[in-house]
Amino acid sequence: MITRDDVIDLFAHLETGHADEFFQRVAEDVQWTVMGTHPLAGTYTSKEEFLNATFRRLDKILEQGVRLKVTHTYLEGSTAIVEMESLSVAKSGKPFNNIYCWIVAFNESGMIVGVRAYVDTALVKEVIDENEPHLINI
């Protein structure tokens, strides 16, 4: 059974730049939906698909990659609600002050098997529009 302390410890990896340790606890066949109407929105049916479309894409345009700090956690049974704020800065030097809310489903082994992620749609689009075109010229 997952505890609130387990959730806090797991998500701390996203703040310290050790996202790989966080993603070791994500099932290969995770169902991950990023809500909104921005370039990262969609439903991903594998960890690899999600990482390629979101974290790895953002890592190219954020100075130290995706860095998220937990601000609130709630746990009911095997479902956690985790609110986070971005600690990231875009390559342009502009802070990426996004706010996240992830609803996370854990299985009995403590693996993440489902996520619904809510973000500031306009801010995601803005950081991509402002920073990805520069990658083409490199």
Side-chain angles (χ1 to χ4, degrees), residues 6-7 31 64:
D6 293 334
V7 173
Q31 178 88 10
Q64 296 180 338

Side-chain angles (χ1 to χ4, degrees), residues 4-75:
R4 185 172 181 274
D5 286 341
D6 293 334
V7 173
I8 291 168
D9 290 345
L10 175 60
F11 276 79
H13 296 301
L14 296 175
E15 181 177 351
T16 60
H18 298 104
D20 55 329
E21 292 180 41
F22 172 85
F23 282 104
Q24 288 176 8
R25 293 272 304 278
V26 174
E28 294 298 328
D29 62 348
V30 68
Q31 178 88 10
W32 199 307
T33 301
V34 180
M35 308 301 279
T37 55
H38 53 84
L40 306 182
T43 298
Y44 306 98
T45 57
S46 75
K47 176 170 50 176
E48 193 66 20
E49 180 184 22
F50 170 76
L51 286 171
N52 285 335
T54 61
F55 268 62
R56 291 180 184 138
R57 184 174 181 182
L58 289 171
D59 282 348
K60 293 176 185 173
I61 61 174
L62 300 175
E63 286 294 338
Q64 296 180 338
V66 178
R67 302 292 281 281
L68 305 174
K69 178 182 180 183
V70 173
T71 56
H72 297 95
T73 58
Y74 308 91
L75 183 66

Side-chain angles (χ1 to χ4, degrees), residues 19 25 31 67 70 75 85 87 95 104 110 113 118-119 131 133 135-136:
R25 293 272 304 278
Q31 178 88 10
R67 302 292 281 281
V70 173
L75 183 66
E85 62 186 8
L87 302 176
V104 182
V113 294
Y118 298 85
V119 300
N131 291 275
L135 293 176
I136 296 168

